[in-house]
Amino acid sequence: MREQRFGGRDFTLALVVCLVWAGNFLTSAHALQEIPPFLFSALRMTLLALLLVAFLKPPPRAQWPRLIAVALLNGALHFGTSLWALRMAGDLSSPAIVMQSYIPMSVLLAWAILGERFAWRTGSAIALSFAGVLVLGFDPLVLDHPASLAMMLFSAFLIALGTVLM
């Protein structure tokens, strides 16, 4: 079997994803100066639905309850609370970094809800990632807006729960 390498095309695509993700936070922060968080979230979701509706087919009736829960958690609630946190924050970097805590939260929720198992290395990585968020908490800019970080941490929990349910 031929070895796959990370080439120029792969690097370019990864760079585009990172730039779009960063642009998402910058655009949101700018828009939130004029538009309330949940309205902005609704406008974003509506635009996305309009762009994607032609590519979707209705799911089976039995999947609707879980689909609605995932859509609410990953869509309206997560984006609404994360945009609210961005609006309350004095800077973008701290809330953006705190949002990444959804990844270890997802692992812990999968363990608690789905009975997933992980080894000590994964457990150590989870502890290290949460420790990194705590270290961030000692930044003077962050201490000026603790409610913003608490809201972003709640938003991270919502998307982690939605991810596990998905």
Side-chain angles (χ1 to χ4, degrees):
M1 180 173 251
R2 203 175 90 180
E3 182 180 327
Q4 297 282 329
R5 296 209 174 156
F6 195 76
R9 178 180 173 266
D10 299 318
F11 178 79
T12 302
L13 288 173
L15 182 63
V16 167
V17 167
C18 290
L19 291 174
V20 168
W21 189 249
N24 170 51
F25 276 99
L26 294 172
T27 303
S28 297
H30 182 67
L32 290 170
Q33 293 175 355
E34 303 295 327
I35 303 171
F38 282 93
L39 175 60
F40 181 62
S41 179
L43 291 172
R44 286 176 60 170
M45 295 298 161
T46 302
L47 177 63
L48 184 63
L50 290 173
L51 292 172
L52 296 178
V53 72
F55 301 101
L56 301 175
K57 66 178 185 175
R61 197 178 282 278
Q63 290 181 355
W64 275 99
R66 180 159 295 193
L67 178 64
I68 290 170
V70 168
L72 285 173
L73 288 167
N74 287 6
L77 296 175
H78 156 66
F79 277 108
T81 54
S82 68
L83 293 172
W84 191 358
L86 285 176
R87 190 172 193 176
M88 294 186 322
D91 69 313
L92 287 177
S93 60
S94 302
I97 292 170
V98 168
M99 176 48 71
Q100 299 312 308
S101 65
Y102 90 89
I103 298 165
M105 281 185 200
S106 296
V107 175
L108 292 176
L109 286 170
W111 169 72
I113 295 171
L114 302 176
E116 293 282 333
R117 300 182 71 175
F118 53 85
W120 69 270
R121 288 182 183 161
T122 303
S124 299
I126 291 169
L128 186 62
S129 64
F130 282 125
V133 172
L134 285 176
V135 168
L136 171 72
F138 292 108
D139 180 357
L141 277 175
V142 173
L143 295 176
D144 288 342
H145 305 294
S148 166
L149 287 187
M151 182 64 72
M152 191 59 89
L153 204 55
F154 180 64
S155 178
F157 171 77
L158 291 171
I159 197 169
L161 183 57
T163 300
V164 169
L165 290 177
M166 191 177 353

